[in-house]
Amino acid sequence: MNDSVHLQNHNEIAVITIDNPPVNALSPAVIEGLLAAFAQSEADDTVNAIVLTGAGKTFIAGADIREFGKIVSGQSRGRALLDLIDRVENCRKPVIMAIHGTAFGGGLELAMAGHYRLADPGAQVGQPEVKLGLIPGAGGTQRLPRLAGVAKAVEMCAEGNPVKAEDAARLGILDGMVRGDLVAEAITFAREVAGKSIPKTRERTEKLGDASQNAAIFAAARETARKKQRNLIAPLAAIDAVEAATQLPFDEGIALERRLFNECLFSDQSKALIHVFFGEREVARVPDIPKETPTLPVNTAAVVGAGTMGSGIAMVFANAGIPVLVKETEQAALDRGLATIQKNYANSVKRGRFTQQFADERMQLITPTLSYDGFSQIDMVIEAVFEGMALKKQVFAELDRMCKPGAILASNTSTLNVDEIAASTSRPESVIGTHFFSPANVMRLLEIVRGRASSKEVVATCMQLAKKLGKVGVLVGNCRGFVGNRMFHPYIREATFLVEEGASVEAVDKALYDFGMAMGPLATGDLAGLDVGWRIRKEYRHLEKPDVRQAFAADRLCELGRYGQKTGAGWYKYDENRRPIPDPAVADLVRRWSAEAGIPHREIPSQEIVERCIYALVNEGARILEEGYALRAVDIDIIYINGYGFPAYRGGPMWYADTVGLRRVYDRICEFERQHGELWTPAPLLKKLAESNRTFASFIREPGATAA
Ligand code: NAI
């Protein structure tokens, strides 16, 4: 037919094969090829039935996501798949879908328009569009309830999670599972049904339920969506569309689905989520480190320090099947670390995330030790001892003596200079930062800190390793706080200033929670421990300019022993379940402190709270970008979404600023500078882009960019 679709005749059964590696996405060429193959098969009198299958490892993993952008920009009407689906369902010869791998999104929509669906037991089906801020737009919301029933269809379209073949067969999405040769079995099946009456999904109504049952299903689904997918429009649109399937004739349901699909597609949310989808792939690309760069094997690892981070990092390696030594200086600390690991695995088993066997196997991969015995064999060491330069240097000098040449020596430091650490070894080219986030076994983000001397092989290996460890690795440069924490500092500073100016702790947190952050900044401070920032601020106090305003409220709370959750009180009080309770004592204290400092209290609208905190992130992000500590704006976005609870549907702080318009962001920052002084001096890059009407997303540094 064309390069991506093949047609073969197997003795009166046409077999159409999609061949569009890697995942048989429904590109325009595939759709065109399928239309031609169906037309030819239908016209061919020697063909009695048609089998559709996918070459390679999958049936159809979904629509071609780049096509969505073309619809938005007016280059495509986006109706081609709908036309194909009509053509398949109205085909006068039975169409059998032979599904292996995945039938996701448009792939499942096409499969449901077929007359029968057979699948390999390892196959999965699903409507994941909602994860891109969309709903199924080619009949999925209308056909799925007709096959799977209303409750399951609502769940699949609103939550987007895949369903295994076995469950899909039980639900009626599949007609059966085939062990053995899928296509051969589908051909045999096709011979059996050829010439018989053809069942069309669109004509089926027996699973569409009755009005009163359905009302309860939709009400419950809406409540779940509002809670679990806070502020998102697509899940609610998906529920509306499935509801239409139960209330309207099929064609009217399709028309409504189309309208809702377009509303979602043209929304900022979907554009942001698609940006994030591509961004997670983009961050793996480093301009001066080509794909062919050789990488080093990481088959064994060691972690030095079994505290909060070290124990989590050991689990990350074990979970990826990599044996890992865990070294401590004292038996008691080692026992504590191992007990934490054991407790975490036990919890995962209890919650059904891991089987007991999986957890036992992972524990077997973790070997506790008090010495450097065995380190000479290890491919990669991650240091996670206390944060202090002298100690880190001592540990790295020891590692330099103990480890084989070529072993990667990584530090999990969150603030220290990786080049200075590297200088304590005879092999700075093997030294790099791997900044995990807490809890390391849960958080997806991994900042990979490139030192001045880190070799390309070492960087490439760590980027690749991130994926193997189930993390999103983002390459950052070696500046204080790297990217994430460097930006977090002004964000927290503004949150504290706002409280000192009269906003309540709850109002600050609520404004940012409502904006979409997973947690308010002050509650986050309590969770991480206010003493962490306090110690850092004390250490760097000598760098502060005397005439520049400093936030003081968090430090004063620390002086009173209020470190946050760990001491039962910080910005909030905490009950025995660590639930935050607003504390009037904090309000009184802050009022007194502000009065003493001559800061008048005033009413602060939530919009100002959001702008002050989020634009503080954006302004620092712009500096980082200009200075080359992040490769691209999207790298910063991916860091904030995966490490700091920034809402993915806003695309990350830099993307969000682009959607607000950099001119508006810049003007507001200039206003803050007039009110609050030089802490708000706009980043030169922000000024430049705003004045030339450009975006962060369009900013590309000169060739040779390195995340220096
Ligand atoms: P921690 O205090 O929980 O653990 C440090 C562990 O290192 C202790 O168990 C200590 O006994 C051990 N240790 C000290 N000297 C040692 C030596 N010479 N050999 C072996 N073990 C030694 O500290 P945490 O929180 O795990 O931090 C570790 C590193 O990770 C620090 O550099 C920190 O800045 C960084 N980090 C911490 C994050 C957090 O949220 N806690 C997040 C990201 C990075």
Side-chain angles (χ1 to χ4, degrees), residues 288-582:
D288 72 325
I289 302 185
K291 253 195 13 233
E292 319 72 69
T293 306
T295 54
L296 305 161
V298 181
N299 297 320
T300 50
V303 177
V304 183
T308 311
M309 294 307 289
S311 53
I313 295 168
M315 290 178 73
V316 171
F317 278 88
N319 290 347
I322 301 173
V324 56
L325 293 173
V326 180
K327 182 188 177 294
E328 265 287 348
T329 42
E330 285 171 27
Q331 189 64 45
L334 196 54
D335 291 346
R336 262 198 314 274
L338 264 286
T340 306
I341 295 174
Q342 223 135 20
K343 197 179 80 204
N344 282 337
Y345 277 125
N347 279 340
S348 296
V349 171
K350 212 167 22 179
R351 272 187 270 115
R353 211 164 82 80
F354 293 155
T355 62
Q356 185 63 48
Q357 189 194 344
F358 181 88
D360 292 345
E361 284 166 11
R362 302 305 115 174
M363 276 309 290
Q364 291 288 322
L365 291 172
I366 301 175
T367 308
T369 175
L370 292 173
S371 75
Y372 281 115
D373 290 352
F375 271 61
S376 61
Q377 309 296 317
I378 294 296
D379 294 329
M380 177 170 183
V381 182
I382 294 98
E383 164 280 309
V385 303
F386 301 127
E387 185 82 339
M389 186 50 95
L391 176 63
K392 303 259 181 199
K393 280 182 166 172
Q394 181 204 320
V395 169
F396 271 78
E398 288 164 7
L399 291 173
D400 191 27
R401 278 198 301 279
M402 298 299 167
C403 295
K404 66 184 177 191
I408 298 175
L409 308 182
S411 174
N412 188 53
T413 178
S414 33
T415 50
L416 299 173
N417 185 332
V418 173
D419 291 333
E420 201 178 332
I421 295 174
S424 63
T425 73
S426 63
R427 42 171 130 176
E429 69 282 1
S430 297
V431 177
I432 192 162
T434 49
H435 184 210
F436 288 83
F437 286 70
S438 180
N441 54 315
V442 177
M443 297 296 284
R444 275 184 86 213
L445 177 62
L446 177 63
E447 279 186 332
I448 296 170
V449 189
R450 185 176 195 170
R452 203 182 306 125
S454 310
S455 76
K456 290 187 178 179
E457 287 77 11
V458 167
V459 174
T461 304
C462 290
M463 297 295 285
Q464 200 183 58
L465 179 69
K467 215 174 280 167
K468 189 164 174 201
L469 299 179
K471 305 289 175 198
V472 188
V474 184
L475 190 65
V476 299
N478 178 31
C479 56
R480 180 140 69 88
F482 312 126
V483 170
N485 286 345
R486 177 170 158 185
M487 287 166 66
F488 205 61
H489 175 72
Y491 171 76
I492 289 288
R493 176 198 75 208
E494 285 306 310
T496 313
F497 279 169
L498 285 157
V499 173
E500 292 168 1
E501 290 166 32
S504 71
V505 169
E506 301 79 72
V508 171
D509 276 353
K510 182 174 185 310
L512 286 145
Y513 179 78
D514 289 348
F515 172 81
M517 300 298 289
M519 244 180 153
L522 302 170
T524 307
D526 274 0
L527 176 67
L530 299 178
D531 55 318
V532 178
W534 182 40
R535 285 215 181 90
I536 295 173
R537 282 188 292 274
K538 277 198 284 195
E539 192 168 329
Y540 291 101
R541 198 131 282 165
H542 61 284
L543 299 177
E544 288 166 4
K545 291 194 199 161
D547 49 344
V548 171
R549 178 180 172 188
Q550 302 297 334
F552 54 76
D555 295 355
R556 297 269 177 90
L557 290 174
C558 287
E559 285 160 16
L560 297 172
R562 299 184 70 121
Y563 289 2
Q565 289 196 17
K566 61 175 120 173
T567 57
W571 289 110
Y572 296 88
K573 292 189 284 201
Y574 291 87
D575 65 12
E576 59 285 0
N577 297 319
R578 293 201 162 196
R579 256 193 307 258
I581 303 161

